[in-house]
């Protein structure tokens, strides 16, 4: 059955002159430890519906029941969400599907998060609060890291565990557009402009570049090292349309309770694996950086790891192995490039370690896929 589904997808793509291997694979692109919430899935689902796609039929084909998987506190495996997007891409044949879904702004879907944002006094406060509770949407599969600059600006850097290039491009574009739309919605400033926007992928065509720059209202840098948007201090000081301090207390209490429920489903090891994976994409992860991302001290991180019998080095090795296999599976990167990306001193060291992990050399592993 799996082979028949794979073959059907391949035929569909070949008939349209597309490269099927750029989108599909026999196995999930993301491991089973990662998940998103029903809110995150609902945004894709209802956005696709608005574009006239048979979202309900496709969702069920991916093994998900709309009645349960679209509930706000539902926990949906990331690989299933990726499969859903993959099927949407095949159905639509739309190279800019992530962009087009990202333009479908539906504040009601985001539930407590929208209430929390509207309850803040300023845009800076709204972004601080919503970033703190973003796991209510993205689970442990992605979101924004917030950095306040000395000049008063704020940089929001997006990350996600999805590595398959085509799926990642659509999801990342979708995420950046949603964030922009939400910021404009809660401030009542439809022409709010960022200082700069960076995207890691190259533009698919001139149309994508033109559309994104017309939406962001600023130049967009493609092929960047990370996906980010920077807002200046004046923009961050904009008031929110409906500020109410009592409402803020109530909204944050509700968000905190929901976040606690999400975190109960995600142990420390899972959080560390996600953060290590995210940080390793841009350099060797450091414990201090991970502690900062978790909002705890380095001493507390070490104590919690010791209590659960976790080894930082073992987590790094596990993350390296998973990323190495993903790179070999879904990219055309050379063995030398992968070795360098994962922080090995030389290619031979990486090859020896990969042989220990899998019993195969990197080249043999790729050939066997």
């Amino acid at each position: 059955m799996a082979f028949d589904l794979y073959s059907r997808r391949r035929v569909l793509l070949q008939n349209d002159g597309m490269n099927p291997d750029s989108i599909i694979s026999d196995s999930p692109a993301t491991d089973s430890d990662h998940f998103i919430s029903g809110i995150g899935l609902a945004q894709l689902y209802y956005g696709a519906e608005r574009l006239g796609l048979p979202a309900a039929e496709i969702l069920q084909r991916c093994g998900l029941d709309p009645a349960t998987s679209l509930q706000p506190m539902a926990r949906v495996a990331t690989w299933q969400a990726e499969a859903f997007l993959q099927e949407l891409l095949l159905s639509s044949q739309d190279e800019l599907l992530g962009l087009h879904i990202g333009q479908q702004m539906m504040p009601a879907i985001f539930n407590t998060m929208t209430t929390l944002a509207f309850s803040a006094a300023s845009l800076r406060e709204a972004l601080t609060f919503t970033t703190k509770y973003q796991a209510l949407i993205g689970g442990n599969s992605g979101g924004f890291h917030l950095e306040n600059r000395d000049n008063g600006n704020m940089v929001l850097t997006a990350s996600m565990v999805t590595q398959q290039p085509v799926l990642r491009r659509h999801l990342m574009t979708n995420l950046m557009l949603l964030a922009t739309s939400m910021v404009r919605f809660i401030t009542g400033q439809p022409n709010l402009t960022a200082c700069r926007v960076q995207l890691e992928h190259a533009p698919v065509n001139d149309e994508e570049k033109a559309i994104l720059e017309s939406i962001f209202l600023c130049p967009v840098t493609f092929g960047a090292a990370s996906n980010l948007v920077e807002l200046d201090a004046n923009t961050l000081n904009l008031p929110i349309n409906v500020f109410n301090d009592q409402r803020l207390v109530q909204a944050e209490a509700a968000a905190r309770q929901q976040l606690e429920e999400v975190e109960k489903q995600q142990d420390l090891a899972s959080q560390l694996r996600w953060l290590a994976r995210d940080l390793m994409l841009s350099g060797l992860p450091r414990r201090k950086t991970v502690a900062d991302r978790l909002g705890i001290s380095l001493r507390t991180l070490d104590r919690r790891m010791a209590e659960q019998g976790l080894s930082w080095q073992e987590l790094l090795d596990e993350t390296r192995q998973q990323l190495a296999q993903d790179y070999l599976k879904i990219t055309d990167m050379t063995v030398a490039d992968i070795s360098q990306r994962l922080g090995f001193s030389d290619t031979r060291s990486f090859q020896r370690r990969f042989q220990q992990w899998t019993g195969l050399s990197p080249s043999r592993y790729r050939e066997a896929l």
Side-chain angles (χ1 to χ4, degrees), residues 13 21 119 129 256 317 329:
L13 291 169
D21 293 319
S119 302
F129 278 125
R256 189 183 302 115
D317 286 346
K329 236 189 269 187

Side-chain angles (χ1 to χ4, degrees), residues 226-243:
S226 58
N227 301 280
L228 63 80
V229 56
E230 181 173 356
L231 300 173
D232 65 38
N234 291 332
T235 299
L236 293 163
N237 289 331
L238 286 171
I240 302 303
N241 273 341
V242 195
F243 171 63

Side-chain angles (χ1 to χ4, degrees), residues 22-228:
S22 70
I23 296 182
I24 62 177
S25 67
D26 277 326
S27 56
T30 305
D31 66 67
S32 58
D33 289 334
H34 295 107
F35 67 94
I36 65 171
S37 75
I39 298 174
L41 182 66
Q43 197 281 322
L44 287 176
Y45 178 90
Y46 291 115
E49 267 198 341
R50 284 189 172 193
L51 296 174
L53 296 173
E57 175 191 328
I58 291 173
L59 195 68
Q60 290 171 335
R61 198 157 68 223
C62 295
L64 292 167
D65 180 1
T68 55
S69 61
L70 299 176
Q71 294 300 310
M73 293 305 293
R75 174 172 168 155
V76 180
T78 303
W79 69 265
Q80 286 184 292
E82 290 176 348
F84 177 56
L85 174 59
Q86 183 169 275
E87 289 291 313
L88 289 175
L89 287 167
L90 288 159
S91 177
S92 67
Q93 292 294 301
D94 182 359
E95 288 187 322
L96 302 181
L97 183 63
L99 186 159
H100 293 145
I101 291 179
Q103 290 177 292
Q104 312 301 312
M105 182 60 188
M106 297 164 282
I109 289 177
F110 297 97
N111 200 294
T112 303
M113 294 290 280
T114 305
T115 304
L116 190 62
F118 264 124
S119 302
S122 66
L123 178 56
R124 184 187 298 277
E125 188 175 84
L127 291 172
T128 300
F129 278 125
T130 53
T131 302
K132 180 179 179 181
Y133 295 104
Q134 63 188 328
L136 295 177
I137 299 173
N140 65 356
S141 293
F144 286 97
H145 172 64
L146 182 155
E147 178 189 357
N148 286 299
R149 294 286 175 86
D150 291 340
N151 62 359
N153 288 7
M154 179 183 287
V155 176
L156 292 133
T157 303
S159 62
M160 62 178 55
V161 298
T162 299
Q163 292 302 302
Q164 205 289 336
V166 175
L167 298 181
R168 184 178 174 88
R169 170 172 63 81
H170 285 278
L171 288 170
M172 193 62 79
T173 304
N174 178 268
L175 178 63
M176 298 287 277
L177 286 176
L178 282 174
T180 301
S181 296
M182 182 62 82
V183 163
R184 289 171 175 168
F185 178 68
I186 62 176
T187 58
Q189 301 286 332
N191 294 320
L192 184 147
T193 306
C195 299
R196 62 187 174 115
V197 173
Q198 289 184 186
L199 294 170
E200 65 188 10
H201 71 269
V204 174
N205 49 38
D206 291 339
E207 180 189 5
E208 181 188 27
K209 187 175 189 299
I211 291 174
L212 287 177
E213 291 192 338
S214 71
I215 293 173
F216 290 126
L217 298 176
C218 71
V220 178
T221 301
F222 290 89
S226 58
N227 301 280
L228 63 80

